[in-house]
Amino acid sequence: DTGVSQDPRHKITKRGQNVTFRCDPISEHNRLYWYRQTLGQGPEFLTYFQNEAQLEKSRLLSDRFSAERPKGSFSTLEIQRTEQGDSAMYLCASSPSAVSYEQYFGPGTRLTVT
Amino acid sequence: DQQVKQNSPSLSVQEGRISILNCDYTNSMFDYFLWYKKYPAEGPTFLISISSIKDKNEDGRFTVFLNKSAKHLSLHIVPSQPGDSAVYFCAASGRNYGQNFVFGPGTRLSVLP
């Protein structure tokens, strides 16, 4: 197993454009999480999925953000009409079960909005 | 308002000595705590955890101590090695807190040879 992968690793976009990131969790992990991390801060929770169901969303997740996990495997995070304040590292993590708090993180996608 | 605080942005320790990283939390609903280590250009890696029913958990060179009354936990690394140089994040969650894991801002540890 190669661990959690994220694509792309880096994305530069102009303000107002839409971007989509992909996360492939560790196979058989049924929980998937999205976080955002800015410089000097720890990861901030955005949302999480149990299989294909999105069970929790942070207040940080504005209407411009949407996440999907259509078949309970990979997930996508889309940001519409990007703003400069969206510039951050977007991290994905997966977890094997409801009884495990341990999360396995991917390397992240660094978004720069110009 | 930060619910999980790591008040030392950085820490330098000599190789072979003990590293002590501290974490404070404010939310009494938290009952599970984790430490993650992060190298540059990589995602955080799980290191060790502790439940609120315990006050100590040990895994090799890493020991986490929890003081519930003070809402304080610490990570001890003994002996410290140069490969331990990384950013360490404290995180908290709880059964009644959903899946919203709250991370501290991190402490950068440098272990000097």
Side-chain angles (χ1 to χ4, degrees):
Chain A
D1 196 338
T2 57
V4 178
S5 61
Q6 294 187 245
D7 183 70
R9 294 292 304 274
H10 303 272
K11 178 70 176 179
I12 300 174
T13 191
K14 292 186 177 180
R15 188 176 48 158
Q17 297 294 305
N18 299 344
V19 293
T20 299
F21 309 141
R22 175 178 171 126
C23 170
D24 287 89
I26 295 172
S27 57
E28 294 145 17
H29 279 195
N30 53 21
R31 292 199 160 195
L32 186 148
Y33 305 80
W34 284 100
Y35 290 86
R36 180 173 67 189
Q37 185 178 16
T38 53
L39 195 61
Q41 299 298 317
E44 292 176 292
F45 171 84
L46 293 178
T47 189
Y48 100 95
F49 292 83
Q50 172 83 24
N51 298 313
E52 66 274 10
Q54 188 174 18
L55 297 186
E56 192 170 339
K57 294 199 299 186
S58 165
R59 290 169 295 172
L60 294 174
L61 211 65
S62 76
D63 292 344
R64 297 183 297 106
F65 287 69
S66 63
E68 293 183 343
R69 195 182 183 197
K71 297 181 180 179
S73 57
F74 74 92
S75 176
T76 58
L77 177 69
E78 181 184 16
I79 309 174
Q80 296 183 324
R81 304 181 303 281
T82 52
E83 301 173 355
Q84 286 188 321
D86 297 331
S87 296
M89 176 73 82
Y90 289 85
L91 293 162
C92 174
S94 68
S95 180
S97 72
V99 298
S100 172
Y101 283 88
E102 299 173 21
Q103 298 181 14
Y104 298 80
F105 282 83
T109 294
R110 180 167 295 283
L111 173 66
T112 302
V113 181
T114 62
Chain B
D1 180 28
Q2 279 192 334
Q3 298 187 70
V4 178
K5 303 176 184 180
Q6 294 176 258
N7 293 322
S8 298
S10 62
L11 175 69
S12 292
V13 172
Q14 208 69 36
E15 180 180 4
R17 305 294 292 270
I18 184 172
S19 295
I20 301 176
L21 296 101
N22 293 305
C23 177
D24 297 284
Y25 61 96
T26 57
N27 192 331
S28 57
M29 297 282 282
F30 292 145
D31 59 11
Y32 201 88
F33 306 89
L34 308 93
W35 284 93
Y36 283 84
K37 178 171 70 174
K38 185 182 183 305
Y39 293 120
E42 295 182 13
T45 302
F46 170 77
L47 199 56
I48 193 169
S49 63
I50 188 166
S51 163
S52 61
I53 62 174
K54 294 184 175 181
D55 54 17
K56 177 182 175 181
N57 190 25
E58 193 172 355
D59 184 1
R61 296 185 298 113
F62 302 91
T63 303
V64 56
F65 296 91
L66 175 63
N67 182 333
K68 291 184 288 294
S69 61
K71 294 192 179 68
H72 176 84
L73 62 156
S74 60
L75 175 68
H76 293 210
I77 307 174
V78 183
S80 301
Q81 299 173 354
D84 296 329
S85 297
V87 177
Y88 289 78
F89 293 102
C90 171
S93 188
R95 284 185 304 277
N96 296 324
Y97 209 67
Q99 288 295 311
N100 189 344
F101 289 81
V102 182
F103 282 75
T107 295
R108 181 177 300 278
L109 173 66
S110 299
V111 180
L112 309 174

